[in-house]
Amino acid sequence: MFVYQSSESLTFANQPVFFAVTDRFGGVSNKPFDTLNLAYHVNDDKTLVDINRKRVLQEISLCSQSRSPLASLYYLTQIHSNRSIVLDQMLAESLPHADSIHLGEADAIITALPQRLCMVMVADCNPILLYDTFHHILAVVHAGRLGVFEEIIPHTLEQMSALYHTQAKDILMYIGPSIRACCYEVGEDVKKEAFKKGFGAMINDTSRLDLIACLKQQYKQLGVADAQVEIDPRCSCCSPMLYSYRRESHTGRFALIAMLQQH
Ligand SMILES: [Zn+2]
């Protein structure tokens, strides 16, 4: 069910934050979504996705050692933007109780509330966790090529700073499995766009774009050091246990799910 989780991370050791990255096993979806697809928007059977999400909720309740069972999974309609939604007390109270709670159209969720499981779904895009260790604030981010080019990480950090006084020096970051330069060949339009955005050096001589290198350039410019960042070694397109849009086109989504723990 999980390809990786915070209990295995040295970067996040002893931090009061939980995260897990799902794989494609342990669910009930049929081909081509077999089996733990967590997304509704890919035309999978909604009742099966609901069962998958419920199973993930139960498993996280167990392995995060939560005192009470976790009630809900907060998720977005992801639109490849640089927009974030802040899950604060007022918003949380305005939403109906459910296993899955839709927050709206955006590509990042920021929260200071503990015990709220926030999810971003991917199949090659970068699932990213930002954690402010000083103010105990979390963000989960969906950053594909468009999101990276539209600077979703700088925008999310800016939002965290504006609302909660987050500083780059206090950030820990986890970049989950995503398509890597080994598999991400891009066309002329994307190449042109990359040069325009200052990422020309991140395209190699076989037209492969290295989005991790783009992200590194961005977080360093923000004042986040390599030592504050954990980069998952997995390429989603090379890993059959993960969904990959590039490899399969019509497929499901795996997820990065994270929450603040009480401390
Ligand atoms: Zn690869």
Side-chain angles (χ1 to χ4, degrees):
M1 183 167 286
F2 301 132
V3 75
Y4 191 61
Q5 50 181 301
S6 41
S7 58
E8 300 170 68
S9 166
L10 295 177
T11 311
F12 285 82
N14 304 317
Q15 295 291 343
V17 60
F18 170 88
F19 69 84
V21 179
T22 62
D23 56 30
R24 60 188 298 166
F25 306 119
V28 293
S29 291
N30 300 309
K31 276 185 192 313
F33 308 110
D34 49 316
T35 60
L36 193 66
N37 168 44
L38 295 175
Y40 296 130
H41 70 275
V42 294
N43 290 324
D44 192 358
D45 183 337
K46 184 176 181 298
T47 56
L48 300 181
V49 178
D50 283 335
I51 295 171
N52 291 342
R53 288 187 175 193
K54 185 124 201 160
R55 285 190 181 183
V56 167
L57 259 179
Q58 285 165 344
E59 190 65 24
I60 292 179
S61 292
L62 287 176
C63 58
S64 66
Q65 294 167 333
S66 292
R67 276 165 239 161
S68 49
L70 297 158
S72 331
L73 215 46
Y74 292 87
Y75 73 103
L76 301 164
T77 296
Q78 300 168 180
I79 51 172
H80 296 280
S81 70
N82 54 26
R83 186 164 179 255
S84 54
I85 286 181
V86 180
L87 175 60
D88 57 16
Q89 197 66 44
M90 210 163 78
L91 177 58
E93 282 170 10
S94 74
L95 297 163
H97 290 280
D99 290 341
S100 283
I101 300 182
H102 182 233
L103 291 174
E105 289 190 351
D107 291 278
I109 307 170
I110 300 171
T111 194
L113 302 175
Q115 299 291 102
R116 309 284 176 153
L117 277 175
C118 301
M119 169 167 85
V120 284
M121 296 166 283
V122 291
D124 289 340
C125 291
N126 295 280
I128 300 175
L129 170 68
L130 297 173
Y131 174 55
D132 175 345
T133 56
F134 188 75
H135 299 95
H136 199 46
I137 311 294
L138 161 158
V140 289
V141 182
H142 161 252
R145 200 267 303 165
L146 278 167
V148 172
F149 281 16
E150 293 303 313
E151 306 192 320
I152 188 161
I153 293 297
H155 277 92
T156 305
L157 193 58
E158 199 174 287
Q159 183 84 321
M160 291 167 78
S161 304
L163 292 168
Y164 302 107
H165 312 291
T166 295
Q167 292 182 274
K169 68 175 175 59
D170 298 320
I171 285 285
L172 287 181
M173 192 167 162
Y174 167 72
I175 303 176
S178 53
I179 195 164
R180 300 293 157 89
C182 45
C183 296
Y184 194 36
E185 194 175 334
V186 295
E188 286 307 317
D189 286 358
V190 173
K191 266 199 225 176
K192 255 189 229 156
E193 194 66 18
F195 274 97
K196 236 195 274 172
K197 301 276 179 185
F199 296 131
M202 284 63 176
I203 298 175
N204 71 13
D205 45 16
T206 52
S207 298
R208 285 173 169 79
L209 173 61
D210 186 349
L211 280 177
I212 296 294
C214 300
L215 283 164
K216 276 189 182 178
Q217 178 171 299
Q218 280 181 336
Y219 71 63
K220 282 181 184 167
Q221 273 166 4
L222 294 167
V224 176
D226 281 333
Q228 295 166 253
V229 183
E230 174 176 10
I231 300 172
D232 196 288
R234 278 162 278 250
C235 169
S236 48
C237 193
C238 289
S239 311
M241 62 198 308
L242 299 168
Y243 297 105
S244 167
Y245 183 77
R246 180 60 67 114
R247 192 183 65 229
E248 302 169 285
S249 182
H250 193 46
T251 191
R253 297 291 180 271
F254 66 96
L256 168 66
I257 303 169
M259 70 170 177
L260 297 168
Q261 292 173 309
Q262 253 127 8
H263 76 309

